[in-house]
Amino acid sequence: TIVLDSAKIRTHSPTKATLMSMAVPGLGQIYNKKYWKLPIIYGGIGTSLYFAFSNNKEYKRFRSAYLIRIDDDASTVDEFEGILTDANIRTNMDVYQRNRDFSYIIAGLIYVFNIVDATVDAHLFTFPVNDNLTFHFQPSMQLTDNKDFSKGFSLIITL
């Protein structure tokens, strides 16, 4: 018989990993002891936010120039006077706005992926990984209902 001290058995909580990743991205991965995922998470979120802020800055620049053009005041001149037409400024403004929004969406998706990854990894934390776990294909023949043989392959899983 094996006697286990219940005080020494640590349970790995997927709920805790989920809440930690929701609070601070990457904290669930630290809880799951998957430290190598941190640069991927912070690199993805950081890069997305960098491009979002950069595109937002350019969007505001072209928006202010466009607003100056349409204000019907001849004394105000924008920085693109004589360089770009009204349509060009409007097109640039739309492009930077779309790219900004897309960058925010990518950052949000990486954040959600971080939470899902921490949750799934916590669920699989105690999954037994050993050398006895094997997958292989094996040829097979089966008798069908109409007395014909069905030929194919079977997937054999050994735990």
Side-chain angles (χ1 to χ4, degrees):
T1 61
I2 298 175
V3 178
L4 296 175
D5 185 10
S6 62
K8 290 186 179 181
I9 298 175
R10 282 191 42 208
T11 58
H12 201 77
S13 171
T15 305
K16 187 174 181 179
T18 303
L19 293 174
M20 291 173 86
S21 277
M22 288 173 75
V24 178
L27 200 55
Q29 282 73 14
I30 292 172
Y31 175 70
N32 292 331
K33 297 182 179 22
K34 302 290 180 164
Y35 308 107
W36 62 271
K37 294 179 180 180
L38 290 176
I40 296 169
I41 293 167
Y42 282 107
I45 292 174
T47 302
S48 299
L49 290 178
Y50 168 78
F51 283 114
F53 295 143
S54 173
N55 284 314
N56 190 45
K57 179 181 172 186
E58 292 299 315
Y59 165 72
K60 286 181 178 180
R61 187 172 145 221
F62 281 102
R63 188 185 70 181
S64 67
Y66 186 72
L67 291 174
I68 289 172
R69 290 266 177 109
I70 63 170
D71 70 355
D72 294 331
D73 185 7
S75 64
T76 58
V77 178
D78 63 271
E79 64 181 292
F80 302 110
E81 188 68 38
I83 300 171
L84 297 175
T85 65
D86 294 350
N88 293 134
I89 291 176
R90 179 71 189 176
T91 301
N92 286 338
M93 190 173 76
D94 292 341
V95 166
Y96 283 114
Q97 182 180 21
R98 184 186 65 232
N99 289 345
R100 177 201 62 190
D101 296 344
F102 185 66
S103 296
Y104 282 131
I105 289 169
I106 295 294
L109 288 174
I110 293 170
Y111 174 73
V112 170
F113 173 73
N114 150 66
I115 296 168
V116 171
D117 175 64
T119 305
V120 170
D121 203 20
H123 276 287
L124 297 175
F125 190 78
T126 58
F127 186 78
V129 179
N130 57 30
D131 294 335
N132 296 334
L133 180 64
T134 59
F135 296 92
H136 66 278
F137 289 99
Q138 174 179 321
S140 69
M141 289 182 61
Q142 295 179 348
L143 188 61
T144 61
D145 291 336
N146 60 355
K147 307 297 184 216
D148 287 336
F149 283 104
S150 172
K151 298 173 272 300
F153 289 94
S154 296
L155 175 64
I156 309 297
I157 302 173
T158 306
L159 298 175

